[in-house]
Amino acid sequence: MSTKGDGTRAVRAGLPEPQQFEPTLPGPVFAAHYHLSGEPTGPYTYGRDGNPTWTRLEQAIGELEAPGEDVETTVFASGMAAISAVLLSQARSGDVVVLPDDGYQALPLLRGQLEAYGVEVRTAPTGGDAQLAVLKGAKLLWLETPSNPGLDVCDVRRLVEAAHAGGTLVAVDNTLATPLGQRPLELGADFSVASDTKGMTGHGDLLLGHVTCRDPELTAGVRRWRKIAGAIPGPMEAWLAHRSLATLELRIERQCANALALAEVLSAHQAVSGLRYPGLPTDPSYANAVRQMRRFGSVVSFVLSDRGTAERFLAALRLVEDATSFGGVRSTAERRGRWGGDAVPEGFIRFSVGAENAADLIADVEQALAVASAGS
């Protein structure tokens, strides 16, 4: 196990050995094909199969997912491509897959696709480790913890132990936590999956995803799916993602500290109900979170009295963008019910806390809450 700190790993991850007169991080390789005489063997044969820019990024993410361990990462064009790769490479007609019923909004789309292929899909909430009750006979258990947008946290070790006892594989969507907040492979999971569009790259300017595994056979299945589907990242996106990893620890430290500070203020505000943040000692998920998370993420959720109040609140914010997605250096917030896919109240706010000064951000939120409440 590496003893280097998170910041050191983030800054150095995936860099090649120093070469005189060469850049520290070589630029993106734009190539559809490579010189390839004789037998088609070697690391780079065709642009859909491999690219040196992907390779460096995959090594970097692997070093963050499981420091000092032998793991393999596969990068994708988006988080949904990564999620799809795991589910569709593993499940066959007649298999059982267990999903959370409070997970990412696009999971029901995948459920429909799996069922169309003859896969039985069972669902249960993340909270209370409820997926244990529907686990028997499953091929794959999919966990999302903390869940998006409700921020429930399940006990990954407990669920992994039960799943593996029955021969079930476990995948964890680690998007909200990032590897600096939680390491699913260390908790026993077979797949660690994330949308790197969010906190991993942190600037809201590219789409990317990844899957990391210890088992080479599982990786082979995931990579085969990537090849078949062509769900590959562009070299420029991969290079930008690698560059962005260097500031990961700096960003995550600031965002998580800001998120906790904001949550503490919101917990005492009379206009706010249903506040969730796993790092608050009063949060229902706190006990699980402190056992398996090292940082608690940048997302805070809460409920305002109704749709109108929520919309006035969002309109009154000056330092916070009304936008979807999360994990970026600039704070964003949205009324999540506008999408129609999450079982949340009309006044439910998902707030992604950025890297602004905490005092400025809190002052902006407080004035926006005052404006919203005055109009109700």
Side-chain angles (χ1 to χ4, degrees):
M1 182 69 67
S2 172
T3 58
K4 294 186 178 69
D6 286 340
T8 302
R9 276 195 298 273
V11 167
R12 305 295 307 175
L15 297 182
E17 290 296 318
Q19 298 289 329
Q20 186 77 342
F21 310 123
E22 292 294 320
T24 302
L25 177 61
V29 174
F30 297 95
H33 61 267
Y34 306 88
H35 291 293
L36 187 67
S37 58
E39 294 299 315
T41 59
Y44 306 110
T45 58
Y46 185 63
R48 191 178 66 250
D49 299 331
N51 180 293
T53 309
W54 305 352
T55 299
R56 284 188 284 270
L57 176 60
E58 288 170 342
Q59 290 172 343
I61 293 174
E63 290 173 25
L64 299 174
E65 284 276 12
E69 297 188 41
D70 187 14
V71 298
E72 293 181 277
T73 294
T74 307
V75 291
F76 289 87
S78 69
M80 277 307 298
I83 292 169
S84 298
V86 174
L87 289 166
L88 298 178
S89 71
Q90 297 303 311
R92 304 287 184 271
S93 179
D95 286 342
V96 174
V97 169
V98 176
L99 301 178
D101 65 12
D102 55 349
Y104 179 55
Q105 187 187 47
L107 276 181
L109 300 177
L110 264 174
R111 175 181 183 169
Q113 192 62 59
L114 288 166
E115 290 174 337
Y117 290 155
V119 176
E120 179 186 343
V121 179
R122 303 171 188 161
T123 64
T126 298
D129 300 338
Q131 288 168 285
L132 284 172
V134 294
L135 188 57
K136 186 175 180 180
K139 173 69 178 296
L140 176 69
L141 168 63
W142 186 272
L143 306 178
E144 184 180 304
T145 181
S147 61
N148 170 32
L151 302 182
D152 276 320
V153 176
C154 60
D155 186 335
V156 175
R157 289 187 183 91
R158 181 187 182 199
L159 285 155
V160 165
E161 182 178 352
H164 285 174
T168 303
L169 295 169
V170 181
V172 176
D173 184 334
N174 200 42
T175 300
L176 199 145
T178 82
L180 268 61
Q182 180 173 263
R183 295 190 184 126
L185 299 184
E186 289 184 0
L187 299 172
D190 301 288
F191 303 90
S192 181
V193 189
S195 169
D196 301 319
T197 307
K198 314 298 194 300
M200 283 286 277
T201 56
H203 291 81
D205 54 8
L206 58 87
L207 300 179
L208 206 76
H210 81 266
V211 178
T212 303
C213 307
R214 282 199 182 90
D215 187 335
E217 290 189 16
L218 295 179
T219 296
V222 167
R223 291 195 171 176
R224 180 175 181 273
W225 189 92
R226 180 178 69 178
K227 178 176 180 175
I228 293 169
I232 59 173
M236 191 67 198
E237 285 78 7
W239 185 86
L240 286 169
H242 196 168
R243 182 202 63 172
S244 298
L245 289 182
T247 60
L248 178 61
E249 194 236 13
L250 296 172
R251 291 186 280 106
I252 295 298
E253 281 286 333
R254 178 65 166 262
Q255 290 170 255
C256 290
N258 282 357
L260 179 59
L262 178 61
E264 289 171 342
V265 168
L266 291 173
S267 69
H269 201 288
Q270 62 182 7
V272 171
S273 63
L275 175 68
R276 296 301 304 271
Y277 183 66
L280 273 179
T282 54
D283 190 89
S285 289
Y286 182 76
N288 274 341
V290 294
R291 282 196 298 268
Q292 66 193 30
M293 299 182 73
R294 298 158 57 237
R295 297 173 177 87
F296 302 108
S298 62
V299 178
V300 176
S301 68
F302 55 95
V303 179
L304 299 179
S305 58
D306 53 37
R307 174 175 178 168
T309 302
E311 290 177 345
R312 287 192 299 275
F313 167 72
L314 293 168
L317 291 166
R318 295 294 174 261
L319 297 179
V320 182
E321 299 165 2
D322 189 345
T324 196
S325 199
F326 58 86
V329 290
R330 291 175 289 277
S331 291
T332 62
E334 68 172 335
R335 191 182 66 82
R336 192 64 187 166
R338 65 181 176 173
W339 295 98
D342 297 310
V344 295
E346 285 293 305
F348 182 97
I349 300 292
R350 186 181 69 180
F351 198 113
S352 173
V353 183
E356 298 89 357
N357 290 107
D360 295 334
L361 185 61
I362 289 169
D364 190 37
V365 169
E366 289 180 325
Q367 68 80 23
L369 286 171
V371 169
S373 299
S376 60

